[in-house]
């Protein structure tokens, strides 16, 4: 938990967000400025700044994020039509919130 991290504050309930899923490892909430009909963020509970900061011991977290994304896409009925999963990495990669998160966007068709 990083005091000045917005996503840590959301995870701990100190800042609001529209949660759609939670387990021991990850939370999923709606992106506040959606760039697609479905735009969700899959966020590990552990504070990790970006993909660059991942360590060998974070393997389970990363696989949990991807498997959760797959399940959430299915629940949102966009599995068959298709969707995008992506990480923005550091400022040059468009990252604005420095707590690891996987974008899930879709729902155009
Ligand atoms: P990134 O540019 O990859 O760091 O993505 C950060 C995302 O977080 C953006 O798509 C923002 O719209 C989203 N965002 C920022 N503040 C909030 C918030 N309070 N609740 C939900 N999503 C947020
Ligand atoms: Zn954080």
């Amino acid at each position: 938990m990083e005091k000045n991290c917005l996503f840590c504050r959301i995870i701990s309930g100190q800042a609001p967000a529209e949660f759609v899923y939670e387990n021991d490892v990850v939370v999923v909430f709606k992106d506040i400025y959606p760039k697609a009909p479905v735009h969700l963020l899959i966020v590990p509970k552990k504070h990790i700044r970006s993909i660059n900061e991942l360590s060998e011991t974070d393997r389970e977290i990363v696989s949990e994020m991807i498997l959760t994304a797959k399940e959430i896409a299915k629940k949102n009925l966009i599995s068959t039509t298709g969707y995008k999963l992506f990480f923005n990495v550091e400022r040059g990669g468009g990252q604005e919130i420095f707590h690891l998160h996987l974008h899930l966007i879709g729902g155009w068709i």
Side-chain angles (χ1 to χ4, degrees), residues 3-71:
K3 208 166 58 195
N4 296 321
C5 170
L6 173 62
F7 283 2
C8 280
R9 291 171 56 78
I10 287 175
I11 290 160
S12 66
Q14 291 167 37
E18 213 174 316
F19 280 74
V20 301
Y21 180 75
E22 176 172 10
N23 68 20
D24 287 348
V25 181
V26 298
V27 298
V28 182
F29 51 85
K30 292 187 179 177
D31 195 295
I32 204 167
Y33 304 118
K35 286 146 200 98
V38 176
H39 189 170
L40 300 167
L41 301 172
I42 294 97
V43 185
K45 288 186 170 174
K46 178 181 176 186
H47 179 88
I48 300 167
R49 177 186 162 90
S50 78
I51 285 279
N52 285 346
E53 305 299 315
L54 278 174
S55 66
E56 290 293 328
T57 54
D58 294 324
R59 281 176 192 279
E60 279 195 27
I61 293 175
V62 177
S63 43
E64 187 61 37
M65 290 172 76
I66 295 170
L67 289 169
T68 298
K70 182 199 79 169
E71 290 303 322

Side-chain angles (χ1 to χ4, degrees), residues 71-109:
E71 290 303 322
I72 297 290
K74 200 171 170 188
K75 276 191 193 148
N76 279 268
L77 307 177
I78 57 173
S79 284
T80 324
T81 50
Y83 53 94
K84 293 177 197 278
L85 292 178
F86 62 92
F87 292 97
N88 293 327
V89 185
E90 298 295 334
R91 285 184 208 285
Q95 188 174 1
E96 290 177 353
I97 308 276
F98 294 96
H99 179 131
L100 187 67
H101 52 281
L102 176 60
H103 291 260
L104 163 57
I105 62 172
W108 302 281
I109 55 171

